[in-house]
Amino acid sequence: MCARAHPLTFTIVPRVGPFASRSRRRRHAGRRPHASPRASRYVPRMSSQFEEGTTLDRYLLETMHAHPEARGQLVTLLKQIALAGKLVSARVNRAGLAGMFGATGSMNIQGEYVQKMDLYANETFKRAIEHAGVVCMMVSEEEDAPVAIPERFSFGDYVFCMDPLDGSSNIDTNASIGTIFTIFRRVSEGGPGTLADVLRPGTDIVAAGYIVYGAGTVLVLSTGVEHGVQGFTLDPAVGEFFLSHHDIRLGDSTRSYSCNEAYAAQWDPRLRAWLDALKDPKAGWSARYIGSLVGDVHRNLVKGGLFLYPPTAKAPNGKLRILYEAFPLAFLVEAAGGAATDGRRRILELVPEGIHARTPLFIGNREDVEAITRILSA
Ligand code: AFP
């Protein structure tokens, strides 16, 4: 990670980011992008004292102010996500005391045992968001079908897709777990959202992020490559997220990989050979794997690292879900200068065939992802 620009920087031109109105985005469609978006950043002057105390709300408001035409729906949605994240964080921290460890005894659509905390997180995010008039539909790993907005609430411009509690089978062990989310601007016209609003390429995403509940609670967010990737740590004493990871950037390459190597016998032999070569002590690689995607990718984003979940005999399309696991993490990692593929294609160019469609995932530092993709697509 390196701090290259002020965290509150935002692009002045063009005003066609995720906060812009749909008509403005249409008018700008097809125009040449600004030659160097980062070069045009406005850098507000402020003392380091204030810089240290930048809350998530302030970051969002100042970013939105750069887009006077924005209606504020995306900011409201992001604030409600942060609120739900605080509630889940509090419950995760006292899960053992609150009787929230363990499984409910039922299975979800993915054939996985549902943990008590999965249900709590799912309900908490739905309740925090559905009433705000900013989404027209939601998708959750815990729900077979898209989640409709109750009739008493109004519909908004966005669609929210989430894995409410990724890695939840780790909760009893105090390992990092987290909420991962993708946000699209709707393409359907008014009323409830439709499948067309979510079965679309990841290049349409307007914002994505995760909240990792670990030694601390950290919300990592990107509203597009021109805004970079920012991390906010929850200060539980005051209940606020403060900017703690300015403009997270991944180096070109790494010496750390994360995967469940117990499945190696089921992998493509070319992948096995590549991994074996890394074990030469002269290559200087290490392995780090939690078994919680959000925990593994967070560590790799902060320290550098390559995460792999290749296809296996049991999961020929991989295990991880496109809409609310691979897409948002690919969006963040690309915005930080990294890359993500399914072994052949760029993740963000996939179009999911269903809301719970899966994909193999190779994600992390750009040169390493490119190397493995070259080998697997040869
Ligand atoms: P749970 O949410 O059931 O714990 O699954 C977590 C997960 O989907 C993802 O977070 C991990 O990267 C992956 O499973 C680990 O899978 P393996 O146990 O097959 O390594």
Side-chain angles (χ1 to χ4, degrees), residues 165-169 260 263 289 291-293 307 309 319-321 325:
L165 205 57
D166 172 65
S168 55
S169 60
N260 191 337
Y263 303 147
Y289 189 64
S292 159
L293 175 69
F307 176 95
Y309 206 110
K319 179 181 183 191
L320 304 169
R321 274 55 57 117
E325 292 182 319

Side-chain angles (χ1 to χ4, degrees), residues 254-256 277-287:
T254 180
R255 287 285 176 274
S256 168
L278 304 187
K279 291 175 191 158
D280 179 339
K282 290 197 255 354
W285 281 68
S286 359

Side-chain angles (χ1 to χ4, degrees), residues 75-305:
V75 167
T76 301
L77 174 55
L78 292 167
K79 285 180 167 185
Q80 292 307 108
I81 292 168
L83 170 63
K86 289 178 203 173
L87 293 168
V88 172
S89 171
R91 189 61 70 99
V92 165
N93 287 343
R94 52 189 302 277
L97 298 172
M100 297 293 281
F101 277 167
T104 57
S106 56
M107 271 188 174
N108 65 15
I109 179 81
Q110 330 281 341
E112 295 160 350
Y113 284 106
V114 176
Q115 307 289 315
K116 292 178 191 165
M117 276 303 302
D118 284 324
L119 291 188
Y120 177 79
N122 190 43
E123 288 305 311
T124 302
F125 275 88
K126 283 195 312 183
R127 295 290 98 83
I129 291 167
E130 65 184 6
H131 67 85
V134 294
V135 298
C136 58
M137 191 172 89
M138 292 187 259
V139 167
S140 167
E141 189 206 9
E142 297 304 332
E143 312 260 355
D144 303 3
V147 179
I149 304 306
E151 272 180 18
R152 61 186 185 283
F153 303 128
S154 48
F155 300 109
D157 291 342
Y158 294 93
V159 187
F160 176 70
C161 309
M162 64 169 161
D163 180 348
L165 205 57
D166 172 65
S168 55
S169 60
N170 289 303
I171 187 167
D172 303 8
T173 68
N174 254 22
S176 293
I177 52 181
T179 303
I180 317 177
F181 60 89
T182 300
I183 300 171
F184 288 108
R185 185 189 287 268
R186 70 183 305 169
V187 285
S188 56
E189 297 284 342
T194 68
L195 281 180
D197 292 316
V198 287
L199 302 184
R200 53 204 284 209
T203 45
D204 286 354
I205 291 172
V206 293
Y210 60 77
I211 306 170
V212 62
Y213 313 107
T217 295
V218 180
L219 188 158
V220 174
L221 172 71
S222 179
T223 53
V225 72
E226 69 274 30
H227 295 285
V229 180
Q230 315 299 333
F232 301 83
T233 299
L234 179 64
D235 181 342
V238 291
E240 283 283 1
F241 281 102
F242 287 93
L243 188 60
S244 51
H245 299 63
H246 302 182
D247 199 17
I248 298 171
R249 298 293 298 169
L250 273 169
D252 292 340
S253 63
T254 180
R255 287 285 176 274
S256 168
Y257 68 84
S258 316
C259 60
N260 191 337
E261 229 175 326
Y263 303 147
Q266 305 172 50
W267 293 346
D268 185 317
R270 295 171 296 181
L271 177 58
R272 275 205 308 272
W274 180 78
L275 213 58
D276 282 346
L278 304 187
K279 291 175 191 158
D280 179 339
K282 290 197 255 354
W285 281 68
S286 359
R288 295 283 182 273
Y289 189 64
I290 300 171
S292 159
L293 175 69
V294 67
D296 281 309
V297 171
H298 181 62
R299 185 201 48 239
N300 292 352
L301 199 52
V302 172
K303 292 195 155 187

